[in-house]
Amino acid sequence: MIQPTIGVVRSGGRKTANVCVKLVPSSSSQIIVNGKPASIYFQENAVYLQTIFTAYELVKIESQLLKISTKYDAFIQVNGGGLSAQSQAIRLALCKAFLEIYPHLRTYFKKRGFLTRDARIKERRKYGLKKARKAPQFSKR
């Protein structure tokens, strides 16, 4: 198990959202997104916050079982995409960062699908069509 003094930096993505997470050991465990607390950044929306906190809580429970009292602050820089895509990208980056510190958590994260980047992105618009697949109305005469 690695005990970083400087911190662990990992990145993640979802659709067009890009995230860089830095975990730093500290006495409090807070999540700062673009200079704001996560609850303020995600507008107190429980769905977005739950996406992030599931990984964070899993690590807390595991560290209590191992009797490790280390807490981590997460400093997150995120850009692009909407709040939903950003929260999913943050979860991916957080899980990657926690794997550096606790490699034995890989099975827990993998089982819950936290280490898989969702590759679905918006399909590009094609020439002659209105959208990616929507064609203009056909006129017989």
Side-chain angles (χ1 to χ4, degrees), residues 7-18:
V8 177
V9 179
R10 283 288 165 258
S11 63
R14 166 80 172 100
K15 289 189 176 182
T16 56
N18 296 315

Side-chain angles (χ1 to χ4, degrees), residues 69-129:
S69 61
T70 308
K71 294 181 180 179
Y72 293 94
D73 282 348
F75 296 100
I76 301 166
Q77 285 296 317
V78 60
N79 58 7
L83 292 179
S84 179
Q86 287 179 352
S87 66
Q88 292 173 12
I90 288 171
R91 182 182 67 190
L92 174 64
L94 270 176
C95 291
K96 284 181 177 180
F98 278 126
L99 277 183
E100 288 261 322
I101 303 162
Y102 306 109
H104 62 279
L105 287 179
R106 185 172 184 77
T107 53
Y108 296 111
F109 288 150
K110 199 74 171 160
K111 208 180 290 183
R112 288 164 180 80
F114 291 171
L115 295 177
T116 306
R117 186 199 186 281
D118 193 347
R120 296 177 295 166
I121 57 169
K122 186 172 179 180
E123 194 173 338
R124 78 169 198 84
R125 183 186 168 275
K126 278 81 172 185
Y127 169 77
L129 301 180

Side-chain angles (χ1 to χ4, degrees), residues 30-74:
Q30 56 183 338
I31 300 177
I32 307 294
V33 182
N34 289 350
K36 301 176 187 172
S39 58
I40 293 173
Y41 184 82
F42 287 109
Q43 304 162 359
E44 302 288 338
N45 190 321
V47 175
Y48 302 144
L49 292 172
Q50 188 63 33
T51 304
I52 298 168
F53 288 129
T54 48
Y56 221 77
E57 292 300 319
L58 187 64
V59 171
K60 254 188 216 175
I61 292 167
E62 189 64 27
S63 63
Q64 287 171 354
L65 289 174
L66 295 174
K67 295 180 176 65
I68 302 168
S69 61
T70 308
K71 294 181 180 179
Y72 293 94
D73 282 348

